[in-house]
Every structure is written in C-alpha cells, then in structure tokens.
Amino acid sequence: MVGRDDQRERLVEHLTTGYSGEPKVIPIVGMGGIGKTTLANEVYSDTCIRSHFDVCAWATISQQHNVKEILLSLLRSTKVDKVFSESEAELANMLQKSLKGKRYLIVLDDIWKTEAWDAVRQCFPRENKGSGILLTTPNTEVARYAGTKNSLPMRFMDQDESLNLFRSVAFSSEELPSELETIGKQIVDECHGLPLTIVMVAGLLKSKRAIEDWESVSKDVKSFVTNDPDERCSRVLGDIPVKRLVISWMAEGFLKLENDLEGEAEKCLQELVDRCLVLVCKKSLDGTKIRSCKVHDLIYDLCLREIQRENIFIMNDIVLEFNSGWKYLSMRKMQPFKRVTGDEIDYCPNGLYRALLTPVHLQLRDHDNNDLLK
C-alpha cells in the first residue's frame, strides 16, 4: 500500500458517508499489476468498513466469468452456512434474500466484461440505503457501463513511492545499505512505476545481499525493457503519433473495412485505451481525438513475445559480420530468422517473413537483390 493511503482513505470515506438512494457503485480502473486488487482488499479489510456494513462479500470474476461461481463466492462470504447445489437462478434468489434489508458492501474483483456485470447486478437489492459495490477492472468501458461517475483511475507510482515499495519488500524494516542504494534506484527506475514489477524484482533480491547479484538483476531489468538503454525512452515509453500508427495499420491490412478506415482505426485505438493496454499521451484541443499514445514496458515485452511466437516480423540487432571472407547479416536477438551467407539463404523452419532489414551503411547490389528474390 505504499503511496496508496490517500486513495484508501478517500474510498473508505466515500463508502461510509453521504448516502441516499441506490447503492454506490465505485469502479477502480487500471492496467494489470497496478494495484487495483490490493487497494480493494485494503478497503474491504478496513475496520471502519467492517463496522459500518452489515454484510461484506467478495467475488473474483476473471476474464472467463462463471456466473454460478460468482454467486457461490458471494453467498459463502455472506456466511450462509450450507452446501449449495441449487441452479443459477435459485442461487441468485438466495443471494438477494440474504442481502435484503441489510447495508452491504460487495466487491467484484477483476471484472473484464459488461456481460459479467449484467449477470449479477440484479442480485443486489437497490432499496438498501447506505450500501456499496466496489469493482476492479482493467476496462474503462465496464466502469462507464456500470453507470457511475465515481470511477477511480489508478496511477503509476512516482520515483519516491517506487523506491519505498522496493525497500519494503527487499529489506522489510531494514535500511537499504548505502552500497546498494544507487543500483537499487537504477533497478526501480527500470520498473516504470508499476507495483507488480517492483514487487517481483524486489522479491528476487530479498535474499541476496551481494552487489554482484544486484548488478546482474539490474542488467536483466534493462534487457527486459530494451537492448539499448539509450533508446529506452524513445522506444518503450516515448510518444507514438497516432497518425503514423493508423497509416501502419492500414498498410498492414489490419483494418478490414473498405470504407472509413480512419474511423475504424480510431475505434480500435480507443478499445485498447479502454482496456488499459495503451496509455494516452496527448489529445486534440477539443479533447475528442487521441494525438499520441504509449505503452508500459510490461506490455511492450508482451508484444515482443507474441511477435516471436507468431513469427510476425523480425527486429533488433542487425549487424554486418565477416566470417571466412563472407559478409552476412545476422539477426541475433529475435527468432525465427533468415540469414544471408554469400549466395545462399538459410531459412528457419516454418518461418513467416514480411521484411528484410539491412544496415543503413550497406547498399545491396543488383546481383544481391536477384539472389534474395530467389
């Protein structure tokens, strides 16, 4: 909960004061690993919350939601002590009866789709004044669909918060030794304010005190983001102009509609933003159009893995090498690859290639081009 105490206090106050009419619905929105569930759990376990509400119930939804399992989780949380073998409709009726006339708090954790909200919303009595429903979701469309203006967007941690979280996991109550302070800051900076990444890296170092181990992890974190630290900001978290992105989507054939490709591209981009996979950098003056965007390094790494797994295209580390007098291009980082050695071309099995990349200082001659076209 480093750096999140103010959000927790606001949520607790919002849930326990100023009620009138239907239950308050408060979505916590953000990308995976940013701390939505942790924040919801802190609120759910708060002593003020426990004393204020008659019933507190929690259900984890997940991407492939199962309505019966959701209802069972909520019924178990309400301490209905029996074995459930009823149908989905009967379980929904039982849940509604167990909540009727009581001031309740329901937490629906990790809700991805509006259909999951539709499936359970009718089970929560609307006439119970003072009740609340807390949602955690990576999808802003779900938050909007829930019909509330109380949405809480989760932010990335700043440098101080990131370092404090790192210290608390790696060293518990101990002070961070001075010889590890500098390299610890470098490691934290590479996590770009995402709590999940910070906790994972800190957990790796929890039992390690040798500076060599920390230096090794520091190098791994850097390679996790990019192979060239000097280009990290521009390649990973730098602005991506939407106009260039849309043109690329059109050229690659990702947009299938024959008419209004730009409109379709805007819808696709907005969907990625709504799912917290893409972050908005700049908007138009009237706020209606996204001008530039970026992705977190965790998403960037996922993209690279998918590229490699699906054989979509080749990138990174193209170098001109000399071997026994022959010049050849070597793709060393991304697999599968196609390697040119003299007049022969070696193909990786099952490769699907879309481009040949060459060093800028090497001009392919005509006979080279003919060999490659074969």
Side-chain angles (χ1 to χ4, degrees), residues 291-351:
R291 294 303 186 201
S292 66
C293 57
K294 61 185 178 182
V295 295
H296 192 274
D297 68 279
L298 201 68
I299 302 299
Y300 177 78
D301 183 63
L302 171 66
C303 292
L304 291 185
R305 290 202 307 272
E306 287 300 301
I307 285 168
Q308 183 176 357
R309 188 170 66 85
E310 297 294 338
N311 298 349
I312 296 176
F313 55 79
I314 307 166
M315 62 183 298
N316 285 356
D317 263 23
I318 300 164
V319 293
L320 182 64
E321 295 187 353
F322 293 87
N323 185 20
S324 302
W326 293 106
K327 290 186 292 185
Y328 66 91
L329 298 175
S330 174
M331 320 318 189
R332 294 193 295 188
K333 292 297 181 185
M334 297 297 295
Q335 300 290 335
F337 61 85
K338 173 168 61 179
R339 189 177 66 184
V340 182
T341 58
D343 293 332
E344 296 181 0
I345 301 174
D346 299 328
Y347 290 94
C348 185
N350 305 316

Side-chain angles (χ1 to χ4, degrees), residues 100-306:
K100 197 165 186 178
K102 298 176 182 176
R103 185 159 56 191
Y104 60 81
L105 172 66
I106 302 293
V107 178
L108 300 176
D109 182 37
D110 198 28
I111 181 168
W112 285 65
K113 300 175 182 176
T114 56
E115 292 86 350
W117 171 246
D118 284 336
V120 296
R121 65 190 302 183
Q122 300 303 325
C123 301
F124 310 134
R126 295 188 176 186
E127 68 277 5
N128 295 30
K129 291 184 179 181
S131 295
I133 303 169
L134 200 59
L135 312 177
T136 74
T137 178
N139 194 336
T140 53
E141 183 188 357
V142 172
R144 287 195 296 265
Y145 188 77
T148 177
K149 296 180 180 179
N150 299 320
S151 182
L152 174 64
M154 295 288 285
R155 59 176 176 80
F156 293 108
M157 288 182 157
D158 62 30
Q159 189 178 44
D160 289 339
E161 291 167 344
S162 298
L163 191 57
N164 287 337
L165 178 60
F166 179 82
R167 284 184 184 130
S168 69
V169 175
F171 279 85
S172 301
S173 58
E174 302 174 44
E175 287 292 322
L176 187 63
S178 56
E179 66 271 15
L180 298 178
E181 180 83 22
T182 301
I183 195 166
K185 287 180 179 178
Q186 293 172 1
I187 292 171
V188 165
D189 286 345
E190 297 299 329
C191 295
H192 301 298
L194 190 68
L196 179 64
T197 310
I198 296 168
V199 169
M200 288 173 63
V201 175
L204 184 65
L205 293 168
K206 192 169 187 177
S207 60
K208 300 180 186 296
R209 295 294 182 265
I211 193 167
E212 293 81 9
D213 292 331
W214 284 53
E215 288 173 345
S216 176
V217 170
S218 176
K219 291 175 183 176
D220 287 344
V221 174
K222 284 184 178 180
S223 65
F224 172 74
V225 180
T226 177
N227 295 308
D228 187 348
D230 294 331
E231 295 183 10
R232 174 177 57 77
C233 292
S234 61
R235 290 179 54 188
V236 183
L237 288 176
D239 287 8
I240 303 168
V242 168
K243 185 177 289 187
R244 186 188 303 168
L245 182 65
V246 169
I247 289 172
S248 296
W249 283 354
M250 291 179 183
E252 295 292 350
F254 292 154
L255 306 172
K256 302 303 181 185
L257 294 182
E258 294 182 4
N259 300 318
D260 192 21
L261 288 176
E262 288 191 22
E264 182 66 14
E266 287 179 5
K267 288 180 183 177
C268 290
L269 180 60
Q270 187 60 54
E271 184 175 351
L272 292 171
V273 171
D274 286 345
R275 293 183 181 184
C276 300
L277 295 172
V278 168
L279 310 171
V280 175
C281 292
K282 298 175 186 174
K283 283 193 170 185
S284 57
L285 291 176
D286 60 5
T288 59
K289 291 185 179 293
I290 302 171
R291 294 303 186 201
S292 66
C293 57
K294 61 185 178 182
V295 295
H296 192 274
D297 68 279
L298 201 68
I299 302 299
Y300 177 78
D301 183 63
L302 171 66
C303 292
L304 291 185
R305 290 202 307 272
E306 287 300 301

